[in-house]
Amino acid sequence: MGEDSLSGLVSELKMAVPWGHIAAKAWGSQQSHPVLCLHGWLDNANSFDRLIPHLPKDFYYVAMDFGGHGLSSHYSPGLPYYQQNFVSEIRRVSAALKWSRFSILGHSFGGIVGGTFSCIFPEMVDKLILLDSTPFVLDSNEMENLLTYKRKGIEHTLQVEEAKEPSRVLSREEMLQRFLKNNSHVGEECGELLLQRGTTPVATGVVLNRDRRIAWPEHSFDFVSRELFVHSIKKLQAHVLLVKATQGYYDVRRVHDKDKECVFLIIDKLKSVLKERFQFVEVPGNHYVHMNQPHHVTGIISSFLQSRDSTPARL
């Protein structure tokens, strides 16, 4: 498919929520079947700019900015950024767009939020695509740390609120270099793309848009037990495609990244529970393969979206 197949149809959306608005960008026709695209931790809707133009034209792709990210409003003072809040944002967006059934394409944290939503509202999601992601995070490596994360999350929020420091102004180049240093899997071109939506120009440079209360994913993630994970995926009505990058991440906390047991356990359980409704594909690339080398994943995602078997087989 040509690179410009959908690029001329991009529009910006703003959906009202009690604390302000959720921003999104859309490709394609509203009359087509909807696909909600969910970005990773600290990223924004531009995460999908290099992927969606290559996907089938007969879908309506909406990439939202989670609250406190990109062009979406920050949460009200005192309100924390917990995973459940992000899950409820999907329900708010689908209600605003009057969607009763749609597909989800989620990268990293977006896949975890989208996966959780798909188990809580199973009748609403026909297809779930996970890009270097899993539908939940297991607690296997984290049991000792879970209470510490909750404590640190609260303390960090209070510190940011108390400090009331103005957003730091940096030159565009300095902002990019800091961003690339903190995101080793993002190339320079993709880093610039994410910062386009993730920063606001001011007189002397740029400032980050994201809410500084959002700092570490482990403060917001809901880690679940194996039992809760298996119980939850049994609720799924969606067909699930999990695309794993060979050089991608295997754990929320990078200190455990060499331990691949959790991811393989999740894949094994998805296979045994969903059977023919689950597909697992490995592709060469790192955690941002959908941005760095979109051609590695476009064919797989396109085939999955266009496949007709969107309802579970009845025995």
Side-chain angles (χ1 to χ4, degrees):
M1 181 174 292
E3 189 164 343
D4 298 321
S5 52
L6 278 169
S7 56
L9 299 168
V10 184
S11 55
E12 287 287 337
L13 307 176
K14 249 187 191 181
M15 288 150 283
V17 288
W19 62 91
H21 69 268
I22 290 174
K25 60 196 301 186
W27 291 256
S29 164
Q30 291 180 42
Q31 277 66 54
S32 300
H33 184 69
V35 181
L36 185 64
C37 305
L38 306 171
H39 63 77
W41 189 252
L42 307 186
D43 294 340
N44 55 61
N46 278 14
S47 176
F48 297 99
D49 274 20
R50 303 187 73 188
L51 173 65
I52 289 172
H54 297 281
L55 296 181
K57 283 186 284 189
D58 47 345
F59 290 88
Y60 182 49
Y61 303 93
V62 175
M64 62 181 275
D65 294 323
F66 283 126
H69 294 73
L71 302 179
S72 286
S73 300
H74 293 188
Y75 282 7
S76 304
L79 186 66
Y81 288 89
Y82 291 149
Q83 183 174 324
Q84 187 70 8
N85 300 40
F86 293 122
V87 173
S88 74
E89 286 182 22
I90 298 177
R91 189 65 191 88
R92 290 181 185 276
V93 167
S94 59
L97 296 172
K98 298 182 170 57
W99 293 350
S100 58
R101 195 161 168 83
F102 55 97
S103 302
I104 289 178
L105 168 62
H107 170 241
S108 194
F109 178 69
I112 294 163
V113 175
T116 305
F117 177 88
S118 301
C119 294
I120 297 173
F121 295 94
E123 75 287 356
M124 296 189 72
V125 184
D126 61 353
K127 292 186 180 180
L128 172 65
I129 302 165
L130 304 166
L131 292 175
D132 212 47
S133 180
T134 53
F136 288 93
V137 186
L138 296 191
D139 65 15
S140 303
N141 292 318
E142 305 299 346
M143 189 57 85
E144 291 301 313
N145 299 315
L146 292 182
L147 294 178
T148 307
Y149 293 155
K150 292 183 188 301
R151 176 177 175 140
K152 283 185 174 175
I154 292 167
E155 287 176 344
H156 172 76
T157 297
L158 295 179
Q159 283 164 9
V160 172
E161 289 172 354
E162 203 175 317
K164 291 182 180 160
E165 292 171 7
S167 296
R168 199 150 172 219
V169 180
L170 297 172
S171 71
R172 191 169 286 281
E173 183 56 32
E174 193 179 354
M175 184 72 81
L176 177 62
Q177 291 314 314
R178 281 177 175 237
F179 183 82
L180 296 175
K181 187 180 174 186
N182 293 328
N183 296 269
S184 61
H185 285 219
V186 181
E188 191 163 325
E189 198 178 332
C190 297
E192 285 177 352
L193 193 56
L194 289 170
L195 287 177
Q196 268 176 28
R197 196 174 179 91
T199 57
T200 298
V202 293
T204 53
V206 293
V207 293
L208 270 181
N209 291 345
R210 74 168 170 81
D211 195 325
R212 280 181 300 166
R213 287 175 289 174
I214 308 170
W216 295 280
E218 54 263 37
H219 294 170
S220 293
F221 280 43
D222 287 337
F223 292 82
V224 302
S225 66
R226 294 178 186 204
E227 292 77 16
L228 180 55
F229 168 68
V230 172
H231 173 78
S232 299
I233 62 171
K234 283 178 180 173
K235 303 288 183 190
L236 281 170
Q237 291 181 20
H239 283 243
V240 179
L241 168 66
L242 196 159
V243 181
K244 189 80 198 74
T246 52
Q247 303 303 311
Y249 292 142
Y250 283 84
D251 204 285
V252 169
R253 288 193 64 226
R254 307 301 174 238
V255 291
H256 295 310
D257 207 44
K258 286 187 174 65
D259 182 2
K260 301 179 180 180
E261 184 194 352
C262 268
V263 170
F264 289 127
L265 173 76
I266 287 170
I267 290 165
D268 187 55
K269 292 295 180 191
L270 285 166
K271 272 181 189 166
S272 62
V273 170
L274 299 180
K275 299 185 168 60
E276 73 282 353
R277 283 192 289 132
F278 177 65
Q279 286 181 46
F280 171 65
V281 183
E282 277 193 293
V283 296
N286 67 18
H287 191 54
Y288 282 83
V289 65
H290 70 297
M291 291 191 80
N292 295 326
Q293 295 118 350
H295 58 281
H296 286 182
V297 297
T298 47
I300 299 158
I301 295 170
S302 297
S303 297
F304 183 74
L305 282 173
Q306 291 178 315
S307 62
R308 296 277 172 225
D309 53 353
S310 57
T311 52
R314 299 278 178 230
L315 297 177

